[in-house]
Amino acid sequence: MEANGVSIWPRMEPFLLGALQVAPSSKLNLHYLRKMAIYVRTRNGCFPILSWPMWRHIACGKLQLPEDLAWLYFETYDLLIGHTPEERLEWAECLSQCSTKSELDQQRNKLSVDTLQFLLFLYIQQLNRVSLRTSLIGEEWPSHRTRSPSPSDRESKTSYQNKNWDDQAHLSFVQSHLAEILELLVEPGQLSQSGQALRDCQVSLDAVRSLGLLLEGSVCQGKAVQPIHRLLTKGPLQTQAGNSSLTRSFPLHNLLSCLQRSLTLNPFGITACLHSGKKLAWAQQVEGAMKRAKIARNTHMAPPGSKMVLMSQVLKQTLAKTSDKLTGANIKIHRCADAFIYLLSPLRSVSVDKCRDSTVVLGPVETSVHIHSCQNVRVVCMAGRIVIGTSSHCTIHALTPTRPLLLPGNTDITLGPFHTFYPSLEDHMASVGLAVVPNLWDQPLLLVTEGLASHSLNTLSSPDPSCYRLLPPSEFHTLVVPFQMEGDTCEVPGGLPPSYQAALDEKKRRIQNWQKTVIEARLSKEQKQQFQELVEMKFHEWLLETGHRQELDSLIPPTIASVKDSDGAAADTNQVNDPKHMRTGQAVGQSSMAC
């Protein structure tokens, strides 16, 4: 609902990137966060900036959280906020010089966050809380705010356990919890002994600024997006919200009513993208694929932080793309099977959801790569964080400065080192602030949920050996990106870990010894031909047995085709060129999509 043409909506990224996709610790409920809100405002060194040592003291000493879990929340918030690439690289350099835990602690002690925004960040961890009623019946009871979902709405939703992409869940969460959110921003002197806001209490302008972590809006459709405090201090909402220029504050009741009247669905969210985003179909129907893969994007009109590209049902196809339209976008790869996907651009975040029997190769990802409900998927990526949940038989080759997070429900996960490159990779790394060190790909953390879903205790521990393994060097092979592009990167950035490099060197030596043996055998011309045919036959058998034959066949360029998108307008003409002749910087495959 809009008031006087002003729309306010939940920002996408705090929910998409900030809320861990698991039921939160019971120590992060409203009762404890109210106590924390009072504590930080009455202690030196906690407000308005909260340092890591003080948060560690609160989390471990007051909330009884494990230190690793406390750091996980602190680090996740730090990934979410807007550091420049230069700042991220500088931080990576400082961490790379730490050789002991004491030195690492000294570096961490330099970090601090906005206290009120961090409180709000902790509060929205409740997004993925599963109530006992929901766990029994599968859906919440209808309310006056809900409506019957359309087919596109259903497509935009995942399971109720995973609401991070669901903008309707974000809106419902804010609508249902707005009063509690505002109470966390009220100063302690205006709270009762139980921590609840007293009648006629005020919310300061500085506190409303912190609310900008969760909310933004615009004066009318098509106008520039503005932070929430600007909308509330001028224009039509100023009077409704009760803004006082003298006290620089808002009456809580007025502010709550004003926000509730103005809240609406994010116009740049997944629902809007599916309804009115630019949708493109594939250039060619691949034999055996029952449906055409679809891409919907809003990158042509969404502001930074709200850009998204949705890829669905890529079946038995190869998609390869590097494009400015992908740069800085949040990518969702959904329900793909028997596919090979190369997205070779600097990305904001990537979610690989409900995919199977596929390979996904990504350019550097500024924030997180989340792999959820996947089976037999290989992901090759470098990212600020790697998160894996409810997946099985997946292999992740990663470069990451943070410890990979294994959520509950994983089985047979294999972690290996990042093992590929493409010519512009190092330039893309610099643009998102990713360095080659530190690289913690082989030091995962397991987030364990115990007890009832609505009263869970989250702990971090050494991963259960039954749910993951490190890739044995004997099974290691490098991956070659089969497209030529412009750029200077000609090897895996940072090199390979010594044991994996040694394994590759040993394989090269065996090949050289084999070639030497063949030469010394002094075969006749006829014997050489027979031997060549035998080797090729065994090689083709191996290609079929391993599934690599499909991967190679999918790189054969199809005929040039043009398609029409869903509204009948002509889509971009898609040309697939021979990879060996590509010099334009665009990687292409069997069904290259101009997205």
Short mmCIF file of all heavy atoms in Angstrom, two decimals, residues 524-554:
data_model
loop_
_atom_site.label_atom_id
_atom_site.label_comp_id
_atom_site.label_asym_id
_atom_site.label_seq_id
_atom_site.Cartn_x
_atom_site.Cartn_y
_atom_site.Cartn_z
N SER A 524 55.94 -50.46 -36.47
CA SER A 524 55.83 -50.24 -37.91
C SER A 524 54.68 -49.29 -38.19
O SER A 524 53.88 -48.97 -37.29
CB SER A 524 55.57 -51.57 -38.62
OG SER A 524 54.31 -52.10 -38.24
N LYS A 525 54.57 -48.85 -39.42
CA LYS A 525 53.51 -47.93 -39.78
C LYS A 525 52.14 -48.54 -39.52
O LYS A 525 51.23 -47.89 -39.00
CB LYS A 525 53.66 -47.53 -41.24
CG LYS A 525 52.66 -46.47 -41.70
CD LYS A 525 52.94 -46.05 -43.13
CE LYS A 525 51.95 -44.97 -43.56
NZ LYS A 525 52.21 -44.52 -44.96
N GLU A 526 52.00 -49.82 -39.87
CA GLU A 526 50.73 -50.51 -39.66
C GLU A 526 50.43 -50.66 -38.17
O GLU A 526 49.30 -50.48 -37.74
CB GLU A 526 50.78 -51.88 -40.34
CG GLU A 526 49.46 -52.65 -40.22
CD GLU A 526 49.52 -53.99 -40.93
OE1 GLU A 526 50.46 -54.22 -41.71
OE2 GLU A 526 48.62 -54.80 -40.69
N GLN A 527 51.46 -50.99 -37.40
CA GLN A 527 51.28 -51.13 -35.95
C GLN A 527 50.92 -49.79 -35.30
O GLN A 527 50.11 -49.74 -34.39
CB GLN A 527 52.56 -51.69 -35.32
CG GLN A 527 52.81 -53.15 -35.64
CD GLN A 527 54.15 -53.61 -35.11
OE1 GLN A 527 55.13 -52.86 -35.14
NE2 GLN A 527 54.21 -54.87 -34.68
N LYS A 528 51.56 -48.71 -35.78
CA LYS A 528 51.22 -47.40 -35.24
C LYS A 528 49.76 -47.05 -35.50
O LYS A 528 49.07 -46.50 -34.64
CB LYS A 528 52.11 -46.33 -35.87
CG LYS A 528 53.54 -46.36 -35.38
CD LYS A 528 54.35 -45.24 -36.03
CE LYS A 528 55.79 -45.25 -35.51
NZ LYS A 528 56.59 -44.17 -36.14
N GLN A 529 49.26 -47.41 -36.71
CA GLN A 529 47.87 -47.11 -37.04
C GLN A 529 46.93 -47.93 -36.16
O GLN A 529 45.93 -47.41 -35.64
CB GLN A 529 47.60 -47.41 -38.52
CG GLN A 529 46.17 -47.06 -38.95
CD GLN A 529 45.97 -47.27 -40.45
OE1 GLN A 529 46.90 -47.57 -41.18
NE2 GLN A 529 44.74 -47.11 -40.91
N GLN A 530 47.24 -49.21 -35.96
CA GLN A 530 46.42 -50.05 -35.11
C GLN A 530 46.44 -49.54 -33.66
O GLN A 530 45.41 -49.52 -32.98
CB GLN A 530 46.92 -51.50 -35.16
CG GLN A 530 46.71 -52.17 -36.51
CD GLN A 530 47.31 -53.57 -36.55
OE1 GLN A 530 48.14 -53.92 -35.71
NE2 GLN A 530 46.90 -54.35 -37.53
N PHE A 531 47.61 -49.16 -33.24
CA PHE A 531 47.75 -48.65 -31.87
C PHE A 531 46.96 -47.36 -31.68
O PHE A 531 46.28 -47.16 -30.68
CB PHE A 531 49.23 -48.42 -31.56
CG PHE A 531 49.48 -47.93 -30.16
CD1 PHE A 531 49.29 -48.76 -29.07
CD2 PHE A 531 49.89 -46.62 -29.93
CE1 PHE A 531 49.53 -48.30 -27.78
CE2 PHE A 531 50.12 -46.16 -28.65
CZ PHE A 531 49.94 -47.01 -27.58
N GLN A 532 47.02 -46.46 -32.69
CA GLN A 532 46.28 -45.21 -32.64
C GLN A 532 44.78 -45.47 -32.57
O GLN A 532 44.06 -44.84 -31.80
CB GLN A 532 46.61 -44.35 -33.87
CG GLN A 532 45.92 -43.01 -33.92
CD GLN A 532 46.45 -42.04 -32.86
OE1 GLN A 532 47.56 -42.23 -32.35
NE2 GLN A 532 45.66 -41.04 -32.54
N GLU A 533 44.29 -46.40 -33.38
CA GLU A 533 42.86 -46.72 -33.37
C GLU A 533 42.43 -47.28 -32.02
O GLU A 533 41.34 -46.97 -31.53
CB GLU A 533 42.55 -47.71 -34.50
CG GLU A 533 42.70 -47.12 -35.89
CD GLU A 533 42.55 -48.16 -36.99
OE1 GLU A 533 42.46 -49.36 -36.64
OE2 GLU A 533 42.52 -47.79 -38.17
N LEU A 534 43.29 -48.11 -31.43
CA LEU A 534 42.97 -48.69 -30.12
C LEU A 534 42.90 -47.61 -29.04
O LEU A 534 41.98 -47.61 -28.22
CB LEU A 534 44.04 -49.74 -29.75
CG LEU A 534 43.87 -50.40 -28.38
CD1 LEU A 534 42.56 -51.17 -28.32
CD2 LEU A 534 45.06 -51.32 -28.09
N VAL A 535 43.88 -46.69 -29.07
CA VAL A 535 43.88 -45.61 -28.09
C VAL A 535 42.64 -44.74 -28.24
O VAL A 535 41.97 -44.38 -27.25
CB VAL A 535 45.15 -44.75 -28.23
CG1 VAL A 535 45.05 -43.48 -27.38
CG2 VAL A 535 46.37 -45.56 -27.80
N GLU A 536 42.28 -44.40 -29.49
CA GLU A 536 41.10 -43.56 -29.71
C GLU A 536 39.82 -44.26 -29.28
O GLU A 536 38.91 -43.64 -28.71
CB GLU A 536 41.02 -43.17 -31.19
CG GLU A 536 42.10 -42.19 -31.62
CD GLU A 536 41.99 -41.81 -33.09
OE1 GLU A 536 41.07 -42.33 -33.76
OE2 GLU A 536 42.80 -40.98 -33.54
N MET A 537 39.75 -45.57 -29.50
CA MET A 537 38.56 -46.33 -29.10
C MET A 537 38.42 -46.30 -27.58
O MET A 537 37.32 -46.07 -27.05
CB MET A 537 38.67 -47.77 -29.59
CG MET A 537 37.46 -48.62 -29.22
SD MET A 537 37.65 -50.36 -29.70
CE MET A 537 38.93 -50.86 -28.55
N LYS A 538 39.53 -46.55 -26.87
CA LYS A 538 39.48 -46.52 -25.41
C LYS A 538 39.16 -45.12 -24.89
O LYS A 538 38.44 -44.97 -23.89
CB LYS A 538 40.82 -46.99 -24.84
CG LYS A 538 41.13 -48.46 -25.10
CD LYS A 538 40.13 -49.36 -24.40
CE LYS A 538 40.45 -50.83 -24.59
NZ LYS A 538 39.44 -51.70 -23.93
N PHE A 539 39.66 -44.10 -25.58
CA PHE A 539 39.39 -42.74 -25.16
C PHE A 539 37.90 -42.42 -25.30
O PHE A 539 37.29 -41.82 -24.40
CB PHE A 539 40.22 -41.76 -26.00
CG PHE A 539 39.96 -40.31 -25.70
CD1 PHE A 539 40.24 -39.78 -24.44
CD2 PHE A 539 39.44 -39.46 -26.66
CE1 PHE A 539 40.00 -38.45 -24.15
CE2 PHE A 539 39.20 -38.13 -26.38
CZ PHE A 539 39.48 -37.62 -25.12
N HIS A 540 37.30 -42.83 -26.42
CA HIS A 540 35.87 -42.57 -26.62
C HIS A 540 35.03 -43.35 -25.62
O HIS A 540 33.98 -42.86 -25.15
CB HIS A 540 35.47 -42.91 -28.05
CG HIS A 540 35.92 -41.90 -29.07
ND1 HIS A 540 35.40 -40.63 -29.14
CD2 HIS A 540 36.86 -41.97 -30.04
CE1 HIS A 540 35.99 -39.95 -30.12
NE2 HIS A 540 36.90 -40.74 -30.69
N GLU A 541 35.46 -44.56 -25.29
CA GLU A 541 34.75 -45.32 -24.26
C GLU A 541 34.80 -44.58 -22.93
O GLU A 541 33.80 -44.50 -22.20
CB GLU A 541 35.37 -46.72 -24.11
CG GLU A 541 35.10 -47.64 -25.28
CD GLU A 541 35.79 -48.99 -25.10
OE1 GLU A 541 36.51 -49.16 -24.09
OE2 GLU A 541 35.61 -49.86 -25.98
N TRP A 542 35.97 -44.03 -22.62
CA TRP A 542 36.12 -43.27 -21.37
C TRP A 542 35.24 -42.02 -21.39
O TRP A 542 34.61 -41.68 -20.37
CB TRP A 542 37.59 -42.87 -21.18
CG TRP A 542 37.84 -42.00 -19.99
CD1 TRP A 542 37.96 -42.39 -18.69
CD2 TRP A 542 37.98 -40.57 -19.99
NE1 TRP A 542 38.16 -41.30 -17.87
CE2 TRP A 542 38.19 -40.17 -18.65
CE3 TRP A 542 37.96 -39.61 -20.99
CZ2 TRP A 542 38.37 -38.85 -18.29
CZ3 TRP A 542 38.14 -38.28 -20.63
CH2 TRP A 542 38.35 -37.92 -19.30
N LEU A 543 35.17 -41.33 -22.55
CA LEU A 543 34.32 -40.14 -22.64
C LEU A 543 32.86 -40.49 -22.36
O LEU A 543 32.16 -39.76 -21.66
CB LEU A 543 34.44 -39.52 -24.03
CG LEU A 543 35.73 -38.76 -24.36
CD1 LEU A 543 35.70 -38.28 -25.81
CD2 LEU A 543 35.92 -37.57 -23.43
N LEU A 544 32.40 -41.62 -22.90
CA LEU A 544 31.01 -42.02 -22.69
C LEU A 544 30.77 -42.41 -21.24
O LEU A 544 29.75 -42.05 -20.64
CB LEU A 544 30.65 -43.17 -23.63
CG LEU A 544 30.57 -42.83 -25.12
CD1 LEU A 544 30.39 -44.09 -25.95
CD2 LEU A 544 29.40 -41.88 -25.37
N GLU A 545 31.70 -43.16 -20.66
CA GLU A 545 31.53 -43.64 -19.29
C GLU A 545 31.50 -42.49 -18.28
O GLU A 545 30.76 -42.53 -17.30
CB GLU A 545 32.65 -44.62 -18.92
CG GLU A 545 32.56 -45.95 -19.66
CD GLU A 545 33.77 -46.82 -19.40
OE1 GLU A 545 34.69 -46.35 -18.68
OE2 GLU A 545 33.82 -47.95 -19.91
N THR A 546 32.29 -41.47 -18.51
CA THR A 546 32.39 -40.36 -17.56
C THR A 546 31.40 -39.24 -17.83
O THR A 546 31.25 -38.33 -17.01
CB THR A 546 33.81 -39.76 -17.59
OG1 THR A 546 34.10 -39.30 -18.92
CG2 THR A 546 34.84 -40.81 -17.17
N GLY A 547 30.72 -39.27 -18.97
CA GLY A 547 29.81 -38.19 -19.32
C GLY A 547 30.47 -37.01 -19.99
O GLY A 547 29.80 -36.02 -20.31
N HIS A 548 31.79 -37.08 -20.21
CA HIS A 548 32.49 -35.95 -20.83
C HIS A 548 32.15 -35.81 -22.32
O HIS A 548 32.37 -34.74 -22.90
CB HIS A 548 34.00 -36.11 -20.66
CG HIS A 548 34.47 -35.97 -19.23
ND1 HIS A 548 34.06 -34.94 -18.43
CD2 HIS A 548 35.28 -36.75 -18.47
CE1 HIS A 548 34.60 -35.06 -17.24
NE2 HIS A 548 35.34 -36.16 -17.23
N ARG A 549 31.62 -36.88 -22.92
CA ARG A 549 31.25 -36.79 -24.33
C ARG A 549 30.16 -35.74 -24.53
O ARG A 549 30.22 -34.93 -25.47
CB ARG A 549 30.76 -38.17 -24.81
CG ARG A 549 30.21 -38.19 -26.24
CD ARG A 549 31.29 -37.86 -27.26
NE ARG A 549 30.78 -37.86 -28.60
CZ ARG A 549 30.74 -38.93 -29.40
NH1 ARG A 549 31.19 -40.10 -28.95
NH2 ARG A 549 30.27 -38.86 -30.61
N GLN A 550 29.19 -35.72 -23.64
CA GLN A 550 28.13 -34.71 -23.73
C GLN A 550 28.71 -33.31 -23.61
O GLN A 550 28.30 -32.39 -24.31
CB GLN A 550 27.09 -34.95 -22.64
CG GLN A 550 26.00 -33.88 -22.61
CD GLN A 550 25.18 -33.92 -21.34
OE1 GLN A 550 25.19 -34.92 -20.62
NE2 GLN A 550 24.49 -32.83 -21.04
N GLU A 551 29.68 -33.14 -22.67
CA GLU A 551 30.28 -31.82 -22.47
C GLU A 551 30.99 -31.34 -23.73
O GLU A 551 30.88 -30.17 -24.12
CB GLU A 551 31.24 -31.88 -21.30
CG GLU A 551 31.85 -30.54 -20.93
CD GLU A 551 32.68 -30.61 -19.67
OE1 GLU A 551 32.85 -31.70 -19.12
OE2 GLU A 551 33.17 -29.55 -19.25
N LEU A 552 31.71 -32.24 -24.40
CA LEU A 552 32.41 -31.87 -25.63
C LEU A 552 31.43 -31.61 -26.77
O LEU A 552 31.58 -30.65 -27.53
CB LEU A 552 33.40 -32.97 -26.02
CG LEU A 552 34.62 -33.14 -25.10
CD1 LEU A 552 35.47 -34.31 -25.58
CD2 LEU A 552 35.45 -31.87 -25.07
N ASP A 553 30.40 -32.48 -26.89
CA ASP A 553 29.43 -32.30 -27.97
C ASP A 553 28.70 -30.97 -27.83
O ASP A 553 28.34 -30.33 -28.83
CB ASP A 553 28.41 -33.44 -27.96
CG ASP A 553 29.01 -34.75 -28.46
OD1 ASP A 553 30.12 -34.71 -29.04
OD2 ASP A 553 28.38 -35.80 -28.26
N SER A 554 28.47 -30.53 -26.60
CA SER A 554 27.72 -29.29 -26.39
C SER A 554 28.51 -28.05 -26.80
O SER A 554 27.95 -26.96 -26.89
CB SER A 554 27.31 -29.16 -24.92
OG SER A 554 28.43 -28.90 -24.10
#
